[in-house]
């Protein structure tokens, strides 16, 4: 964690903080006092400002920022970070922030790829939901209520424990990802081919709206309930609780990981994977992650999980993907929660209890992009993609198989639209360790993405809103016109974009919940 000295150096390099550090106490207090008085009048005292305690402020701010690009000295920082511990406190913070003209940034796990939960274009307050992380499991009903600040790790841990390994939940694999942002954008994971996205399994939600009212599924109405499931975090209100339909795992799962190396081997296996993975039984998840080693030799790692035993796993692979040559000896049966731990990215030797740790180990600077593939890449286009990876060993592509349950929902079932016809999703990601390398890596990923254009979905070239990408377009302070926002909105939401604009114009006409790629208000539709 940063020391006070580090904080002061960072603050001196940051114009916003610098001006506040040098402001007279009365100037700083004029800026803050309206908001702080309002919070205290409403019994919200669990907040921190950098003037009251720089070290606590700075530690808290950085605790949940996962992408170091948004912890750089030039990044705008909030005046206040509030940690509400009840729904009523969230309501009070919304009312006070709005009354005193502060932009709101809601933060759950802090994993936003473009820092939308931790940065702002105008003076802002972070409402960090980490204390709203309770998980209440109803084993008899096969459901759970979780706080809007719970992480996936907390959610998985408590579901497995309370149900004695009977139930799981379909969502992403990284335990420090927050349910707040993740479910709001869809939430794809190893169980999604069988059970759908996290957002497909939301039965109810409690949301604090722009007027500070607490709404449930009935009182928010069907349009808003539709929008909060896949329409992206930070546009609709603050989800303080989700009701989940749990995934009935009913037994053990089998997992394996198979790594192969060398240009020709990777080419052949990935070409075959493209036609196999989305056609496997729904119970089977088989992803392919491609990256080169430090000697620029390309490799692929196949990660498999089957909701069943080892013998069936090996049989299915032998029948449908013989050339991968999966042997019984590399397959392991285990309770679902152990598979979560295994694919969590946590260091070897971690225990299930480590899933409860909200701090992401091994942070880096990163940039990501996404695509959807509907027609398999042929040999020469795949060869070209592999060349980009061989050029840059810090870059990776993760190919996530679709099909199965993902094909069964209509595109407008919820706001997340990427359904039938997708063979797989691509996530491009590049990580680095020094700020001065920003340009090098951002430029590499842009070139790679440009190269891929002819081979991926078109009109629009689709993108996944949980893999936010500001290169698709953005509006300062979240005040884009509908036509401007259509540029990225169509790519994230396809034909659902227009309905999202209508819902936004009705439920948040003053655009209280906004961000650079948020859903815009259409003045003509405001009631
Ligand atoms: C290491 C890593 C692994 C990932 N793995 C996967 C994966 O396997 N599958 C997948 O689909 N995605 C994955 N993602 C992407 C992830 O789903 C998104 O980044 C998601 O938005 C993160 O949610 P968060 O709450 O952690 O982030 P935050 O930064 O806290 O929030 C993201 C956005 O949602 C808003 N928001 C947060 N909480 C709430 C709330 N309670 N109510 C309303 N709005 C809210 C924020 O204001 C912000 O705009 C991964 C990301 C990372 C960094």
């Amino acid at each position: 964690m940063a020391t006070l000295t580090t904080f002061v150096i960072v603050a001196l390099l940051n114009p916003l903080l610098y001006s506040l550090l040098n402001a007279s106490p009365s100037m700083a207090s004029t800026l803050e006092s309206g908001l702080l008085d309002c919070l205290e009048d409403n019994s919200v005292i669990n907040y921190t400002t950098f003037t009251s305690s720089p070290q606590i402020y700075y530690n808290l701010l950085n605790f949940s920022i996962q992408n170091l690009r948004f912890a750089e000295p030039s990044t705008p920082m909030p005046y206040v970070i509030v940690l509400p511990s009840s729904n009523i406190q969230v309501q009070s913070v919304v009312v006070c922030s709005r009354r005193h003209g502060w932009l709101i940034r809601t933060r759950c796990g802090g994993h936003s790829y473009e820092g939308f939960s931790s940065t702002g274009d105008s003076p802002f307050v972070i409402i960090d939901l980490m204390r709203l992380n309770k998980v209440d499991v109803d084993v008899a009903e096969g459901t759970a209520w979780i706080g809007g600040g719970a992480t996936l790790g907390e959610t998985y841990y408590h579901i497995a424990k309370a149900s004695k390994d009977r139930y799981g939940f379909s969502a992403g694999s990284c335990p420090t990802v927050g349910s707040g942002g993740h479910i709001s954008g869809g939430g794809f994971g190893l169980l999604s081919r069988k059970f759908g996205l996290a957002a497909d399994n939301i039965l109810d939600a409690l949301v604090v709206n722009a007027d500070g009212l607490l709404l449930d599924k009935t009182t928010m109405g069907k349009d808003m309930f539709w929008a909060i499931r896949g329409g992206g975090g930070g546009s609709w209100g603050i989800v303080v609780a989700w009701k989940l339909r749990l995934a009935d795992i009913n037994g053990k799962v089998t997992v394996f990981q198979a790594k192969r190396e060398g240009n020709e081997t990777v080419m052949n296996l990935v070409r075959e994977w493209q036609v196999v993975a989305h056609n496997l039984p729904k119970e089977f998840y088989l992803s392919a992650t491609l990256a080169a080693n430090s000697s620029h030799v390309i490799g692929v790692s196949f990660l498999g999980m089957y909701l069943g035993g080892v013998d069936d796993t090996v049989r299915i692979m032998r029948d449908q993907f013989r050339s991968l040559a999966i042997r019984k000896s590399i397959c392991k049966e285990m309770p679902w929660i152990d598979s979560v731990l295994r694919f969590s990215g946590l260091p070897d030797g971690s225990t299930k209890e480590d899933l409860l740790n909200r701090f992401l180990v091994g942070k880096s600077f990163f940039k990501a992009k996404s695509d959807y593939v509907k027609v398999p890449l042929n040999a020469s286009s795949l060869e070209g993609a592999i060349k980009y990876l061989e050029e840059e060993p810090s870059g990776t592509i993760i190919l996530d198989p679709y099909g199965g349950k993902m094909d069964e929902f209509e595109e407008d079932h919820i706001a997340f639209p990427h359904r039938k016809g997708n063979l797989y999703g691509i996530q491009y990601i590049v990580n680095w360790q020094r700020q001065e390398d920003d340009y090098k890596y951002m430029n590499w990923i842009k070139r790679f993405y440009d190269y891929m254009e002819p081979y991926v979905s078109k009109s629009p070239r689709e993108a996944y809103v949980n893999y936010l990408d500001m290169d698709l377009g953005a509006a300062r302070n979240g005040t884009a016109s509908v036509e401007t926002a259509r540029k990225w909105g169509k790519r994230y939401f396809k034909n659902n974009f227009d309905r999202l604009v209508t819902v936004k114009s009705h439920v948040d006409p003053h655009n209280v919940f906004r961000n650079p790629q948020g859903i815009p208000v259409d003045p003509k539709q405001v009631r």
Side-chain angles (χ1 to χ4, degrees):
M1 283 290 169
T3 61
L4 180 57
T5 320
T6 320
F7 170 77
V8 172
I9 292 167
V10 168
L12 289 173
L13 293 170
N14 180 315
L16 178 62
L17 274 183
Y18 181 78
S19 63
L20 281 161
L21 272 181
N22 284 282
S24 65
S26 61
M27 185 180 148
S29 67
T30 311
L31 279 168
E32 294 174 353
S33 61
L35 174 66
L36 301 188
D37 288 349
C38 182
L39 293 180
E40 292 194 6
D41 288 349
N42 287 281
S43 309
V44 181
I45 49 167
N46 36 331
Y47 63 80
T48 183
T49 65
F50 75 88
T51 43
S52 64
S53 175
Q55 191 160 12
I56 294 174
Y57 166 90
Y58 191 62
N59 287 348
L60 193 55
L61 175 63
N62 281 337
F63 179 82
S64 294
I65 296 181
Q66 311 300 0
N67 189 343
L68 296 181
R69 281 199 292 130
F70 304 103
E72 291 182 358
S74 57
T75 308
M77 299 187 194
Y79 287 101
V80 190
I81 306 169
V82 191
L83 275 77
S85 52
S86 65
N87 296 347
I88 185 86
Q89 288 194 350
V90 176
Q91 294 174 260
S92 299
V93 190
V94 169
V95 170
C96 291
S97 304
R98 200 173 159 189
R99 184 178 300 156
H100 295 280
W102 294 78
L103 179 64
I104 293 170
R105 284 289 175 255
T106 309
R107 186 160 82 173
C108 179
H111 284 60
S112 168
Y113 281 14
E114 296 287 5
F116 286 3
S117 56
S118 303
T119 64
D121 293 326
S122 56
F124 64 103
V125 41
I126 290 182
I127 304 180
D128 191 315
L129 301 172
M130 65 168 77
R131 297 175 74 173
L132 296 182
N133 63 344
K134 210 158 166 262
V135 178
D136 273 328
V137 183
D138 185 333
V139 178
E141 200 184 60
T143 62
W145 273 102
I146 64 168
T151 60
L152 298 185
E154 291 168 334
T155 304
Y156 296 155
Y157 176 86
H158 290 296
I159 290 171
K161 187 170 179 196
S163 70
K164 299 194 171 56
D165 288 329
R166 167 156 186 193
Y167 289 114
F169 182 62
S170 176
S173 48
C174 174
T176 51
V177 163
S179 64
H182 185 70
I183 300 177
S184 298
F188 183 91
L190 278 71
L191 295 174
S192 294
R193 298 190 68 254
K194 169 73 176 172
F195 296 102
L197 302 166
D200 291 324
N201 290 289
I202 294 303
L203 301 170
D204 202 342
L206 298 179
V207 181
V208 175
N209 76 359
D211 295 323
L213 299 173
L214 185 66
L215 308 174
D216 67 6
K217 177 180 170 177
T218 309
T219 49
M220 78 179 81
K222 69 176 182 2
D223 284 338
M224 185 163 168
F225 187 58
W226 173 84
I228 61 170
R229 292 173 295 156
S235 277
W236 312 102
I238 300 181
V239 179
V240 290
W242 302 102
K243 184 176 184 185
L244 317 180
R245 181 196 298 114
L246 303 182
D248 195 349
I249 304 292
N250 209 4
K252 295 198 170 171
V253 305
T254 299
V255 302
F256 63 84
Q257 191 165 13
K259 296 182 181 177
R260 304 286 185 266
E261 238 182 37
N263 191 291
E264 198 182 328
T265 306
V266 171
M267 278 279 295
N268 291 338
L269 287 173
V270 174
R271 282 194 72 194
E272 195 173 345
W273 176 90
Q274 293 185 100
V275 286
V276 167
H278 72 283
N279 275 323
L280 287 169
K282 283 181 199 171
E283 292 74 20
F284 220 117
Y285 167 92
L286 183 68
S287 65
T289 299
L290 283 78
N293 64 20
S294 52
S295 308
H296 301 266
V297 175
I298 191 71
V300 57
S301 168
F302 292 98
L303 192 153
M305 185 175 90
Y306 178 61
L307 295 167
V310 170
D311 289 341
D312 284 337
T313 305
V314 174
R315 180 183 51 75
I316 292 167
M317 282 291 94
R318 196 183 51 229
D319 291 351
Q320 305 208 26
F321 199 1
R322 181 176 287 270
S323 44
L324 187 56
I326 293 300
R327 291 184 318 278
K328 208 169 170 172
S329 57
I330 66 156
C331 298
K332 217 168 163 214
E333 263 180 34
M334 56 181 70
W336 170 77
I337 192 68
D338 290 24
S339 75
V340 168
L341 186 60
R342 168 125 179 210
F343 296 137
S344 64
L346 291 173
D348 287 348
S350 300
T351 66
K352 281 181 255 188
E353 280 63 36
D354 292 321
L355 295 171
L356 300 172
N357 185 353
R358 298 181 70 101
F359 187 77
L360 181 73
V361 180
K363 293 184 184 185
S364 64
F365 296 76
F366 69 86
K367 172 72 189 166
K369 291 176 173 292
S370 62
D371 262 319
Y372 283 93
V373 175
K374 295 171 194 285
V375 179
L377 270 68
N378 64 23
S380 72
S381 24
L382 191 57
E383 178 71 51
I386 286 174
K387 279 207 173 76
Y388 278 91
L389 293 164
E390 287 170 338
E391 172 196 329
E392 182 44 77
S394 302
T396 301
I397 53 173
I398 302 168
L399 313 182
D400 257 325
Y402 271 49
K405 188 83 177 173
M406 293 297 291
D407 276 357
E408 292 174 14
F409 294 106
E410 295 299 323
E411 288 193 356
D412 61 357
H413 168 65
I414 57 172
F416 175 97
H418 313 288
R419 303 290 189 171
K420 200 173 171 62
N422 289 307
L423 307 183
Y424 58 96
I426 305 180
Q427 181 178 193
Y428 311 78
I429 188 154
V430 61
N431 300 73
W432 62 99
Q433 289 303 332
R434 301 180 319 168
Q435 183 192 349
E436 50 270 39
D437 292 331
D438 283 6
Y439 176 77
K440 174 182 166 194
Y441 294 106
M442 306 269 277
N443 183 43
W444 173 81
I445 202 169
K446 272 187 198 150
R447 286 192 290 112
F448 189 2
Y449 184 73
D450 287 348
Y451 164 80
M452 290 294 287
E453 184 168 3
Y455 315 120
V456 296
S457 63
K458 292 176 187 56
S459 307
R461 183 176 182 180
E462 297 172 34
Y464 177 27
V465 71
N466 267 350
Y467 300 155
L468 282 174
D469 178 6
M470 292 268 271
D471 296 340
L472 303 183
R476 205 181 133 70
N477 217 359
T479 51
S481 68
V482 174
E483 281 324 302
T484 304
R486 193 179 294 282
K487 257 182 27 199
W488 58 86
K490 276 282 192 184
R491 298 179 66 172
Y492 289 142
F493 306 112
K494 300 180 74 180
N495 289 334
N496 292 338
F497 175 71
D498 290 313
R499 181 171 171 196
L500 287 169
V501 172
T502 302
V503 181
K504 174 76 179 181
S505 309
H506 293 169
V507 305
D508 184 17
H510 299 288
N511 206 8
V512 171
F513 294 104
R514 59 185 185 270
N515 63 55
Q517 286 189 334
I519 301 295
V521 172
D522 177 3
K524 295 197 289 293
Q525 298 194 57
V526 171
R527 294 195 278 225

